[in-house]
Amino acid sequence: MSMNPLIGDAVAGGASVAHGAGYEAPSSTPATAETQPKEPTMAPTTEAPFITNPDPNLPVDAEQRNSGILDPAAVARLSEQFLADRAAVTAMNAVTSQDIDALAVNHLRARDLDPTVSHRIDSHAAADQKRSGRCWIFAGLNSLRGEVSRATGITNFEFSQAYVHFWDKLEKANYFLNSMATLADRPLSDRAVQYLLANPIDDGGQWNMFVALVEKYGLVPKYAMPETASSSATRLMNRDLYSVLRAGAVAVRAAARGEDLGAAVAAGGETGAAGLSAEDAAALASDDRAARVRVVHEAVMKDIYRVLTTHLGVPPVEFDWHYRGKAKDDDADEAGTAGATAGSGSSAAASELTAATASFSPARTAAGSDDDAAFGAQASQDPSAGFVREGRMTPQEFAQRYAPNLGDYVCLVNDPRPTSTYGQRYTVEFLGNVVGARPVTYLNVPMDVMKRLAAQQLVAGRPVWFGCDTEQQAHRECGLWAADLFDYEGLYGVDLSMSKADRLISGESLMTHAMVFTGIDIDGAGASADTADTAQMGQTPADTVEAASDEDGSATAAAADALPEVDLSAIRAWRVENSWGCERADKGFWTMADDWFDEYVFEIAVPASALPEEYQACLEGEVHTLPAWDPMGALA
Amino acid sequence: MDGMTHNALPPIALSEDLLTRIRRDADNDSAHTLALNAVTSTSVDTVAVNRRAIVALDPTVALKTDSLPVTDQKQSGRCWMFATLNVFRHEVARTLGVESFEFSQAYLQFFDKMEKANYFLRAVAALYSGQWTAVDGPDVTATASGADVSAGGSTEAGSVAPTSETQERLIDLLYQFGVGDGGQWNFCINLINKYGAVPKYAMPETQSSSNTRHMDRALHRVLRSAALRLKDLYSAGQQTEATISADAVIAAALRDVHRVLSIHLGTPPTEFDWHYRTKDKEFHRVGRMTPREFAAQYLPSDLHNYVDLVHDPRPETPTGRRYTTQAQNNCWGTQAFTFLNVPLATLKEATLNRLHAGKPVYFACDVNRQFRSDLGVWDRHLLELNDVYGVESIITDPPREAETVALSESGRLSAMSKADRMRTAESRLTHAMVFTGVDEVDGSVRAWRVENSWGTKAHKEHSEIANGGFGTMSDTWFDDNVFHVVVHRDDLPKDLLPLVDQEPTLLPLWDPMV
């Protein structure tokens, strides 16, 4: 087979084109396992003297090593070797016809990751963010909903995600325009400017951004601002918001740079005939850049508000708060009955019940409506049973009542890159939503510190918001993560290992998704079936752990706010509330092997008071600013 | 506000006062309530659609050069490869007298990924070793003037001296792109020149050729890992020793890349049996052929005579000049993507010349603007979004090429010029397709016929796309959203010919034309 170029200028600018003189063309006969020798018969006859690893199998021609041009003959030789390797050919036959994830899954690992955990605090159905990037809002609200259910007795309570989403979009638009004004002196091609323009107001967010919204705008129950077509599928809304914001960026920059603003200025001279007030028209015509920016900024925000309300509706300023809770008397009965039933069943189920702080049965979590499924029998006897009318409320009052302590939480990250330091606080330039709110900051901590804090919160009965790279080693159908859940290396026969730090540096991994830990499985810590039978209502999971882990029984009662000790080496798995609906995984709840946490969890939010003393001190430290495009600025 | 200390302008918070004013603007508009009611319950693209535009874009055209059913790139970013091959396949089918014909896209895809992997590693090594300009410096003598497009800093003749900041930005972009599916006309020509082509049956589609995400995941892991090793080598060792070790790292990585590619796509044939049956049921056996022999027989011998024309109205990139960029390429050692900027009228004239000669024309555009994929129709006013929202900031009407207007006469935010859309990343090169026909009425174009490569089913729904997957584009949409066309030298107005061979000006990799 001739490898001489058939087409004249095959590789413009390259040296000798197709292949080096030192190689013969590979055999044109397709290789078979039988005829193909282990070592190829063709070997380079000339080598550049500096080549220390003259492996003839490598796809770079010796003569071309300096030019770096790929040698087709060498590629063909690799193909021959490949076809002589039966494992490789088998892999090829399988992977060419099926998705690799179906073939590479580590069956034994998946089998061993069952979803039952020793400590479980969720008792509701998983929510569904649908085709939107609002995971961080869902996760934030999911970390609060269990508390509302406990306080009210509502099964499956949900806050309105669309309400928070609306204000996030509006605030982010405002924040973006501020950033554009701040960066007006840089060219549009500047890296930070382009980074922001590429995704002016992404759906994604961060814990601090969630807190900023709740503190300013409060919360409402789902019925007060339900989902719309666009809240669940944000693509077209974002397309149009981005069009407005990029036009807005051009306009704000022109205003801030003192450039011509176009027709409105001339027309505005006539006492606001142009739809502008006389004051605004005068500001536009002036040399006062701040005043010009203010007028343009407002014009952009008017359009943003129109687009947003068209897609999401108008958020309520107050609403009627009423609900049908569970009659208090039924609580004990129901939980007791459920506990007894479970106790007579599997011990695994029993231990879950013991661990749950929730005062109602997990068996009811799948109930669709709080009115129907849970209360059918009761309601038919007393039509008003369990109904509570709280009356008119503002969203701020609602948040004050049901989510009073968000400001106490701090965000911890695990950023093992050599350029980052543990104990150091970080922020990311131009990352935020509410102008004037506390900036997004992270405290970088080692993995064992992060994990211990998360575990302690869970054992104490509090859910934990976290951010991770969810796509890695993830089995969507079964709702599992484990560091080695898919054996790609075995299937490819290729080393794919990489450290967490290197994955961050090279863009292989970053935070892509936020969820909530709602349980943890600690080896030896779970209650036995006996314990379940004698469990008292009101006993906290922390007590259970103390009792179970303290074999000689000398444990004294812990102080009310003291955090339980957790043996990190005994953690088997973490239970995760996702926001992808409840049709897959364990009714929408996923199970994370502990080794996956190490590799792919980047961030958690916990109360500042929970931090070890040395890290509490770090919270006062100086904040180091990372550039806008740093992977730590990735929005969950 | 943290990180906002660059500029003396006071931050503008979303105050109660500001909120009241922006609310009042919408609340006083009854049409807004109507739009809200509609769009909260259905897609805005259903509500906004302009029936008149659809009717005006009836798909029947006077001049039609295509004769084959559309192709389907599926869940891959190979549009440029499909489009380039689609330019030529109709003529092959006519020559052979067959009912359908496709070149194998998977064959070129295999080598595209292999070449991109090599390019990535070579480029990264050159950047880390400080030899980037020496090794890859494209044949350029000037850089674009103006801070907005400069690759950074002053330059010496024949080379670019990037600052550490632009160098870092370039490296980060290379890591980000990796061996992604994207490409341009010249990528495909590079591959055909070097590897030839085969008919589709000689290397058919596989699960991964049509769904590249999981294949790319493994390729990127191999390549990024190797790139970090190269970084360590050059930051630690002596240059010569590092180069030796770097060669070994690159070679080993390429072997892994080859293995992953072969498992996902199969190994490409070095020769194949070429036979076909004509429409008249006549069987032809040509016999054994190599891919290069096949390309030499069925593809034009003067692929180097095709010219990439662009319409780029930004004043900082004047027309009449040729431009190029670093690192927008697949085959190391070949010249990067270059193009000639011309006025819109010239671009259209050349496109029409080519179509009148009976030849399809490759083009690149921002496909999802004012588009309904189920209808297969593009028009500037297909979706009356300004009307639905009660704004003026989305559709630019009348259109502007370059002038920046911040606020309109009514005091509302204005939509952008084409130049500003490019500068703000609003318009991007998102898709390549082929013009295969045109309908001209009284000297102006009523409709352009477009061969797409998205099959005949609408995405996710399973309804048929109108007109068998061939789209219909209005001339106003061409004005707004078509950026590149590739024509033959012979189709160029005579005064352009001398410009085609001039030395190109270098644009950074993040330029919107790239």
Side-chain angles (χ1 to χ4, degrees), chain A residues 5 12 67-68 70 96 101 178 187 189 191 194 229 239-240 243 246 274 298 303 309 311 492 508, chain B residues 12 21 32 40 45 118 148 169 172 194 207 217 221 224 259 264 292 332-333 389 393 409-410 423 426:
Chain A
S67 72
L70 196 67
T96 47
D101 280 6
N178 274 279
S189 62
R191 187 170 183 184
Q194 282 294 318
R239 177 195 67 190
D240 296 340
S243 293
R246 290 175 181 137
E298 185 176 319
D303 283 8
T309 48
H311 283 276
Y492 288 127
E508 273 289 296
Chain B
I12 302 175
R21 276 176 291 150
H32 178 69
T40 46
D45 283 5
N118 183 56
D148 261 24
R169 190 172 176 185
D172 285 355
K194 194 165 176 178
Q207 199 276 340
R217 178 179 62 190
R221 175 58 62 88
R224 288 170 180 157
R259 197 173 169 93
H264 281 279
R292 293 172 62 100
W332 185 259
Y389 297 125
S393 48
E409 285 182 18
S410 58
R423 295 184 185 117
E426 173 73 355

Side-chain angles (χ1 to χ4, degrees), chain A residues 385-409:
Chain A
F387 184 81
V388 177
R389 189 191 308 285
E390 302 272 6
R392 295 299 275 178
M393 267 186 132
T394 67
Q396 287 82 358
E397 287 164 355
F398 193 72
Q400 197 53 46
R401 179 176 307 185
Y402 295 111
N405 301 320
L406 288 179
D408 301 342
Y409 279 69

Side-chain angles (χ1 to χ4, degrees), chain A residues 26-32 35-36 80, chain B residues 270-271:
Chain A
S27 161
S28 60
T29 313
T32 65
T35 60
Q36 178 68 14
E80 286 182 35
Chain B
T270 52
E271 53 175 36

